[in-house]
Structure formats: structure tokens, C-alpha cells
Amino acid sequence: MRILVNHAPERVKDLERYRTEFEKEGECYKPFPFTGNSVPRGVLALEPYHGGYIKGLIEEVKRLGIDFLSHVMITDLIKEKNAVVGAVGLELETDTILIINAKAVILATGGAGNLYPFTTNPSDVAGDGYALAYKVCAQLSDMEFIQSRVCMIYPKAMRGTPPPADGLVTFGGRFYNGLCERYMRKYYPEKLELVTRDAMAICAQKEIEAGRRSPHGGMFGDLSGVPKEELYKFRKFMKACAGKNFDPTWQPYEWAPGAHHFMGGIVINEKCETGIHGLYAAGEVASGIHGANRLARNA
Ligand SMILES: Cc1cc2nc3c(=O)[nH]c(=O)nc-3n(C[C@H](O)[C@H](O)[C@H](O)COP(=O)(O)OP(=O)(O)OC[C@H]3O[C@@H](n4cnc5c(N)ncnc54)[C@H](O)[C@@H]3O)c2cc1C
């Protein structure tokens, strides 16, 4: 965690040097107040949910002339004695099996949201890295620490979409149950919706189980009190809503807790080594950085 915190500002500058674009006011980053953060500290990439952050990384990989295999699904790691020396992959477009020899393999396959029927994760994030590591006897820990977050169930065409910044509660977004009660008053009379994601999910689940559900089985989310300039910062979200003839500036969406982030995973040390020679892990597939409950924006 110390490494993550101390190095994060420099890495953001790296990304910017690689041509990722961030929300700025003049020369300064414009920190965004995310849920559960005591001070605004989220740095927003332009188009954050549509490749905004990785845009710069892709540019840099190209600039360095690193070979890039697209649409290849790694199915196994190759282990000789106690070392990982490569991987087996399936080229999805040609149905060809590839044997890739490597001095080092870095697993960066993300979490496993698609083990659950309801998730914010794209369909390619399904826990492959955990299985690959497990098969070569790397150690996994804290696999029960799974974060849920606000995830849309209505409009139906947007099922699985997380509304921006957990329903923009830090800018006036509100939650109501099926009886149109602002139920967070009951659970957190002072903080209301301004709680961490686990608390949002637990309260909603209690309301759902008590039968106080919205017509599609969840809670209502109301963005009508959010200043329009904040809402329209999330251009892709607003465009997606418009494409479904849904206007979140006055129409409530419905949501339920969806599987979002895996805090557990492959055990690594401060150099991302897994304990198996030649095998490294980074990102959400690795364990131990966020404890049991990642705060929004820390991934
Ligand atoms: C909708 C959404 C919004 C989010 N918002 C935020 C936020 O605002 N702030 C924040 O800090 N975090 C956020 N997160 C969490 C954060 O995006 C993830 O934790 C982070 O992207 C994980 O990065 P990663 O590089 O480890 O893995 P990912 O970005 O998940 O990438 C994993 C990659 O591995 C590939 N892969 C998987 N299996 C295989 C295989 N077998 N072979 C080959 N390739 C494979 C996948 O195709 C994918 O490209 C959000 C997540 C989602 C889903």
C-alpha cells in the first residue's frame, strides 16, 4: 500500500507523458470526490470507462516496439522444474494454439466478476489469472473479499452499467427504495448516501430482502439533483442513456449490488514476485493491497 500511495502521482504523470488525457483546470489535475474518500483525490481520465486510462499505455507499447498479440486467450502456464517459462494461448480468431516461451510471465488478468450472474465487469474478466496461478501452485489469499457496487438493472439495456461515481452521491445523487423512502436515513442518519460501497450494498440488500424493492427488484437511483455540468462530464454514460431514450437528469434508474472488484488474489511481494520463479502478478489479480475493502478510485 505504501508503494502504491507513494508512487501513484509519478505514475499518473507517466501516463500523461504517454498521452493519456486527464481532466484538468489549467495545468492542475482536478481531483474528483469519490465515495468513501475523505478528500477529493480521484484523477479522472477523459472517457474513463472507455479506454481513457490505457490509451497512453497502448501508445507507449507501440512506441517501444513491443510485440502485441491481440485476441489471444492464455489457457495454461508452462512450468519447468519450479519455474514458469512461458504460456499456452488460443488465438481466438484462427483457433490456433500458440506456445509462447518467456523469461518472465506477468499475470495482469484482472478480477473475476463474471463468476457472478450480475457484475460490472466486462465479459473477458472471469478469474483466469487465479486459475492459471493456482495450477502452477502459486499462493492465493483473501479470495472471499469481493466488493459489490451500485449497478444498473433498469433501463434493461443498461443492465450491469455502474452509474458514474456510485450514483454521483457526492454531488447530490440519492437512493430510494420501492416505497420511495430515502432509506439511507434509517441506516446512516448523518452520512446518508455518503458511505463506502460495502455499506451502500449491504443497506440496499437489506431493503431488497425486506421486500421494499423497485419494480425491477432493486433500489431507485436519482440523479435529478446532480448539477448538469458534473453529470455531463460522464459523456459516454450520458450518450449511452440518450441512445436508450433515457434521460437521467429527471428519470430514476434502478440498481442492485453487482460484483465489482476482487481484493484477494495472487500473493506477491513488493517486486510483484509470486514465489514461483519467473511468475509475477500485477493489478487486480494480485492480493493484499486493498485489505478487505478497496476504497473507490484506488485500483
Ligand atoms: C465499470 C468499471 C468501473 C471502474 N471504475 C473504477 C474507478 O473509477 N477507479 C478505480 O480505481 N477502479 C475502477 N474500477 C476497477 C478497475 O478498473 C480494475 O480494478 C482495474 O482495471 C484492474 O486492472 P487490471 O489491469 O488488473 O485488469 P483489467 O483492466 O481487468 O484487465 C484484465 C485484462 O486481462 C485480459 N485477460 C483476462 N483473462 C485472460 C486470459 N486468459 N488470456 C489473455 N488475456 C486475459 C482481459 O481481456 C483484460 O484485457 C472499475 C472497474 C469497472 C469494471
Side-chain angles (χ1 to χ4, degrees), residues 118-199:
F118 191 47
T119 178
T120 60
N121 288 190
S123 57
D124 52 349
V125 176
D128 295 17
Y130 305 131
L132 292 167
Y134 184 75
K135 283 204 271 183
V136 295
C137 300
Q139 200 185 347
L140 303 176
S141 74
D142 298 338
M143 296 308 290
E144 72 278 25
F145 294 161
I146 299 156
Q147 179 177 71
S148 299
R149 82 178 275 192
V150 178
C151 196
M152 288 168 81
I153 53 175
Y154 183 84
K156 278 189 185 152
M158 294 183 77
R159 189 180 159 84
T161 305
D166 298 306
L168 280 162
V169 292
T170 53
F171 285 99
R174 293 178 172 190
F175 301 145
Y176 296 89
N177 64 18
L179 304 177
C180 293
E181 294 165 338
R182 200 170 169 198
Y183 61 92
M184 292 303 284
R185 279 204 184 107
K186 193 166 50 188
Y187 299 102
Y188 291 93
E190 286 174 11
K191 290 186 172 174
L192 299 165
E193 287 86 358
L194 297 176
V195 293
T196 48
R197 286 176 176 165
D198 56 314

Side-chain angles (χ1 to χ4, degrees), residues 229-246:
E229 66 272 19
E230 295 301 334
L231 196 50
Y232 277 92
K233 266 186 195 161
F234 295 87
R235 286 176 284 272
K236 289 276 178 178
F237 173 77
M238 293 307 283
K239 212 168 145 189
C241 290
K244 310 295 171 215
N245 283 331
F246 179 74

Side-chain angles (χ1 to χ4, degrees), residues 16-267:
E16 202 171 7
R17 219 175 44 247
Y18 304 154
R19 305 235 294 267
T20 287
E21 295 166 278
F22 289 97
E23 290 272 356
K24 283 184 142 183
E25 243 171 13
E27 283 303 295
C28 299
Y29 299 115
K30 201 171 170 215
F32 189 92
F34 274 85
T35 43
N37 293 181
S38 48
V39 291
R41 60 176 176 75
V43 184
L44 279 183
L46 297 180
E47 312 298 359
Y49 298 130
H50 294 266
Y53 290 100
I54 61 167
K55 200 174 123 194
L57 286 178
I58 293 171
E59 297 260 328
E60 185 64 3
V61 164
K62 282 186 194 153
R63 192 187 69 79
L64 293 171
I66 295 172
D67 284 342
F68 199 92
L69 298 176
S70 241
H71 299 106
V72 172
M73 183 170 75
I74 299 302
T75 56
D76 268 303
L77 299 176
I78 305 169
K79 197 176 174 193
E80 273 177 17
K81 298 188 182 142
N82 194 31
V84 167
V85 293
V88 180
L90 175 65
E91 199 168 44
L92 297 173
E93 284 169 355
T94 58
D95 273 348
T96 310
I97 300 282
L98 303 178
I99 306 290
I100 304 159
N101 296 317
K103 287 184 198 146
V105 173
I106 306 169
L107 289 174
T109 46
N114 284 283
L115 298 186
Y116 291 83
F118 191 47
T119 178
T120 60
N121 288 190
S123 57
D124 52 349
V125 176
D128 295 17
Y130 305 131
L132 292 167
Y134 184 75
K135 283 204 271 183
V136 295
C137 300
Q139 200 185 347
L140 303 176
S141 74
D142 298 338
M143 296 308 290
E144 72 278 25
F145 294 161
I146 299 156
Q147 179 177 71
S148 299
R149 82 178 275 192
V150 178
C151 196
M152 288 168 81
I153 53 175
Y154 183 84
K156 278 189 185 152
M158 294 183 77
R159 189 180 159 84
T161 305
D166 298 306
L168 280 162
V169 292
T170 53
F171 285 99
R174 293 178 172 190
F175 301 145
Y176 296 89
N177 64 18
L179 304 177
C180 293
E181 294 165 338
R182 200 170 169 198
Y183 61 92
M184 292 303 284
R185 279 204 184 107
K186 193 166 50 188
Y187 299 102
Y188 291 93
E190 286 174 11
K191 290 186 172 174
L192 299 165
E193 287 86 358
L194 297 176
V195 293
T196 48
R197 286 176 176 165
D198 56 314
M200 283 181 187
I202 290 168
C203 297
Q205 195 60 33
K206 283 185 180 163
E207 293 297 300
I208 290 169
E209 282 171 19
R212 294 184 285 273
R213 304 178 190 129
S214 62
H216 296 88
M219 297 289 105
F220 288 113
D222 171 19
L223 296 168
S224 64
V226 176
K228 293 217 173 31
E229 66 272 19
E230 295 301 334
L231 196 50
Y232 277 92
K233 266 186 195 161
F234 295 87
R235 286 176 284 272
K236 289 276 178 178
F237 173 77
M238 293 307 283
K239 212 168 145 189
C241 290
K244 310 295 171 215
N245 283 331
F246 179 74
D247 183 356
T249 64
W250 67 274
Q251 286 178 289
Y253 61 93
E254 292 175 48
W255 68 274
H260 182 59
H261 188 93
F262 277 59
M263 272 73 66
I266 305 165
V267 176

